[in-house]
């Protein structure tokens, strides 16, 4: 408990410092705690320490945790790859989906969103470095998809999510972040609901914040190394 509490506050301090160094407003960057493979009990401890936003990648694993933590009224973000047969449960159980990269998935989420849950918040995942192995829409196709999503009544377009190429070259990484920021600003000019640029993870949050991130997704820096054997469901990750 205390250790998780300490880690949480160390990360919040780190975010505040990065905001200051980038001359950004205090609290302009949200912390999304990436809790994949962590138990419901650990998430409850993080919630008791003050964290409200959690990200999950694997649907079956997430549903168990969302159910058992219902009393806490947390805000759940789906951040894993999405297969069509998963959209119904995602639409019914999550508050945000950050990994929408094609119209078919957006349409299913829109159709399947229960009316009593309000609009489902959507970030479009952009494949910012054009990697053949990575999910996300090409930057050139982003604006067409955004327009289509903006017309779906049960979805609310909130912004972009990116995962840059893993690289040891800080300049290349900065370039990816800058490209994302440019797209984000263009999108925000068209759609007033757009206020979220989800970029930055444990290893690169300061640079992401310097380049305009409004939400960092932090797993290992908060919870420590992931346990990949017990809760991880590789079949979800297709
Ligand atoms: C696992 C994951 C993270 C968190 O990564 P860490 O390096 O553990 O902070 C962030 N975003 C996505 C999409 C992830 O799958």
């Amino acid at each position: 408990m205390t250790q998780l509490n300490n880690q949480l506050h160390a990360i919040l301090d780190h975010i505040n410092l990065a905001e200051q160094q980038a001359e950004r407003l205090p609290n302009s960057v949200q912390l999304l705690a990436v809790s994949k493979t962590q138990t419901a009990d650990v998430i409850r401890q993080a919630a008791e320490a003050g964290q409200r936003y959690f990200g999950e990648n694997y649907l079956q694993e997430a549903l168990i945790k969302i159910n058992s933590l219902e009393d806490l009224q947390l805000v759940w973000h789906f951040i894993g790859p999405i297969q069509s047969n998963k959209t119904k449960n995602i639409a019914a159980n999550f508050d945000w989906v950050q990994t929408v990269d094609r119209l078919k998935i957006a349409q299913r989420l829109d159709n399947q969103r229960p009316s009593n849950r309000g609009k489902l918040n959507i970030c479009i995942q952009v494949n910012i470095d054009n990697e053949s192995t990575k999910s996300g829409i090409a930057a050139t196709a982003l604006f067409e998809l955004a327009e289509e999503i903006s017309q779906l009544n049960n979805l609310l377009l909130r912004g972009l999510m990116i995962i840059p190429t893993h690289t040891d070259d800080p300049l290349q990484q900065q370039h990816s972040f800058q490209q994302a920021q440019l797209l984000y600003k263009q999108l925000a000019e068209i759609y007033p609901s757009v206020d979220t640029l989800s970029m930055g993870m444990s290893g690169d949050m300061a640079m992401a914040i310097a380049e305009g991130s409004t939400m960092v997704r932090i797993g290992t820096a908060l919870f420590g190394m992931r346990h990949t054997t017990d809760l991880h469901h590789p079949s979800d990750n297709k």
Side-chain angles (χ1 to χ4, degrees), residues 17 38 43 47 55-56 73 82 105 128 133 135 142 145 149 152-153 157 159 165 180-181 183 189 195 207 211 222:
L17 187 65
Q38 305 298 333
I43 297 173
E56 290 281 340
Q73 308 219 324
I82 306 177
I105 293 293
I128 201 72
T133 55
S135 313
L142 167 65
L145 179 61
I149 289 176
L152 298 174
N153 282 329
L157 182 64
T165 313
Q181 189 186 24
L183 292 172
E189 265 177 37
D195 60 4
M207 187 190 276
E211 302 302 340
L222 177 59

Side-chain angles (χ1 to χ4, degrees), residues 9-115:
H9 286 95
I11 290 168
L12 292 173
D13 286 348
H14 195 83
I15 291 173
N16 281 335
L17 187 65
E19 286 170 342
Q20 274 176 36
Q21 283 171 343
E23 299 182 359
R24 307 228 356 229
L25 290 174
N27 306 316
S28 53
V29 180
Q30 272 189 357
L31 172 60
L32 181 70
V34 176
S35 47
K36 62 183 172 212
T37 81
Q38 305 298 333
T39 62
D41 190 47
V42 167
I43 297 173
R44 186 174 289 278
Q45 289 171 29
E48 280 164 5
Q51 179 62 25
R52 297 215 49 227
Y53 312 114
F54 292 87
E56 290 281 340
N57 297 54
Y58 310 108
L59 181 62
Q60 299 314 321
E61 175 194 326
L63 292 180
I64 297 168
K65 296 187 246 182
I66 291 173
N67 244 320
S68 70
L69 297 168
E70 219 166 14
D71 58 303
L72 296 175
Q73 308 219 324
L74 301 174
V75 178
W76 295 96
H77 292 235
F78 192 80
I79 61 169
I82 306 177
Q83 298 160 270
S84 301
N85 64 358
K86 301 278 166 68
T87 52
K88 186 161 186 272
N89 272 324
I90 292 173
N93 290 282
F94 282 80
D95 303 290
W96 286 66
V97 181
Q98 296 204 8
T99 40
V100 173
D101 63 1
R102 55 198 195 277
L103 181 59
K104 181 186 169 196
I105 293 293
Q107 286 170 331
R108 290 177 65 93
L109 291 169
D110 179 61
N111 281 328
Q112 294 167 336
R113 179 68 169 172
S115 52

Side-chain angles (χ1 to χ4, degrees), residues 223-238:
F223 295 112
M225 295 298 283
R226 279 185 277 276
H227 325 283
T228 48
T229 47
D230 44 1
L231 279 167
H232 187 269
H233 301 287
S235 63
D236 269 0
N237 193 13
K238 291 272 154 52

